[in-house]
Amino acid sequence: MSLRLDRIGRVRAASRNPLTLVGRDICASHVLEVWDMIPKYIHEELERGIGLRIPGLVTFGCKIIKNCSYPQMFTMDKFVHMVISEDLVNMYGLHTKRPNYTLNPSNNLNISKISTELNMPRYAVNACLTEVIHAFQRAITTYTKVEFIFEGIGKLVVHDNLVYSSFCPDFMEMHGFGERVIDYKYRFPCVCEPEPEQPKPATPQYWLNQFQCYNDAECHHGEVDALT
């Protein structure tokens, strides 16, 4: 069996729990409003070159790798990753591949900011997030395949304890991920270009080597001795 946690599916899954707060302390429209804000914050953080972490669920991380290609230009490889929470991996014995390089720093989802923008109590925002995350965790143990949809961004999939993700082509194109961006040195200096070697000051021995005495009688040894 499979379960798709899209915009409506998240509310339904959260409502199935007998102890859910949906319908009591919060309503279904609150859950929709809060999770509709998540893609906006993901876009904003990635646009700034940092990641966004939704604790207990997933981290959206990015990496920009600069490569020298020609003397006058370099390339920037832009990558984005959807990394499932390490707590879920350890708790449910999931198998996932993680980037073999360090991602840019990530910020936790700002609950206070969502609360302010939606004019919703902070505890209600936290409840909307928690109920859906718990529904996702329960689904991992119940269904063979669970898809968590981030509208306009991509999806996180757990299939037979194997975790993978995919991104929408429009999202990748919007942020330039997965593409090699060429830039010129005069616009953005290549950080991996070696510094030009500074000329070394001439030593007294250098001047001695350059000095050629053609006639001992005309050689001014005192001037040479003064350099040593």
Side-chain angles (χ1 to χ4, degrees):
M1 296 188 300
S2 63
L3 177 66
R4 181 180 175 88
L5 297 178
D6 54 11
R7 191 171 184 269
I8 303 301
R10 289 191 290 265
V11 178
R12 289 176 177 171
S15 302
R16 292 193 186 106
N17 181 16
L19 302 178
T20 184
L21 298 177
V22 180
R24 293 187 297 174
D25 295 348
I26 57 176
C27 63
S29 62
H30 291 152
V31 179
L32 293 175
E33 289 177 3
V34 169
W35 282 93
D36 285 346
M37 297 291 289
I38 302 300
K40 169 189 172 184
Y41 293 124
I42 295 174
H43 281 290
E44 289 180 355
E45 297 296 83
L46 293 178
E47 190 67 27
R48 296 168 52 198
I50 58 180
L52 179 69
R53 182 186 303 107
I54 304 176
L57 181 60
V58 69
T59 297
F60 290 86
C62 63
K63 181 69 174 180
I64 300 177
I65 301 177
K66 299 171 184 175
N67 303 303
C68 286
S69 53
Y70 301 100
Q72 298 299 324
M73 68 177 64
F74 70 97
T75 60
M76 294 185 299
D77 294 322
K78 302 179 66 176
F79 303 97
V80 63
H81 295 272
M82 196 186 304
V83 184
I84 194 169
S85 169
E86 188 70 27
D87 293 337
L88 296 183
V89 172
N90 297 331
M91 188 181 304
Y92 298 106
L94 305 179
H95 303 282
T96 182
K97 290 185 178 181
R98 297 187 178 275
N100 57 3
Y101 46 77
T102 303
L103 297 176
N104 290 5
S106 300
N107 291 333
N108 283 339
L109 183 66
N110 193 331
I111 297 178
S112 298
K113 186 176 180 180
I114 300 177
S115 174
T116 301
E117 291 195 22
L118 293 179
N119 194 24
M120 184 184 300
R122 194 176 187 279
Y123 78 87
V125 174
N126 188 64
C128 292
L129 295 170
T130 303
E131 288 294 331
V132 171
I133 293 174
H134 286 173
F136 175 69
Q137 295 174 359
R138 291 192 301 270
I140 292 177
T141 61
T142 306
Y143 295 88
T144 57
K145 182 178 181 181
V146 183
E147 295 181 336
F148 198 108
I149 309 300
F150 295 90
E151 284 74 17
I153 294 179
K155 62 181 178 181
L156 178 68
V157 182
V158 179
H159 190 186
D160 290 332
N161 289 342
L162 179 64
V163 182
Y164 60 92
S165 61
S166 61
F167 293 92
C168 300
D170 291 343
F171 168 78
M172 299 289 286
E173 183 178 357
M174 179 185 302
H175 293 279
F177 290 121
E179 296 181 358
R180 178 162 290 191
V181 182
I182 298 179
D183 206 344
Y184 290 91
K185 186 167 63 175
Y186 68 84
R187 290 180 55 197
F188 199 97
C190 179
V191 295
C192 53
E193 182 179 355
E195 294 290 334
E197 185 176 355
Q198 299 295 331
K200 297 181 180 180
T203 62
Q205 186 62 43
Y206 168 83
W207 294 109
L208 287 174
N209 294 337
Q210 299 300 316
F211 187 87
Q212 185 174 8
C213 183
Y214 295 99
N215 190 327
D216 290 340
E218 298 177 357
C219 179
H220 303 284
H221 293 286
E223 296 179 7
V224 177
D225 295 337
L227 296 173
T228 60

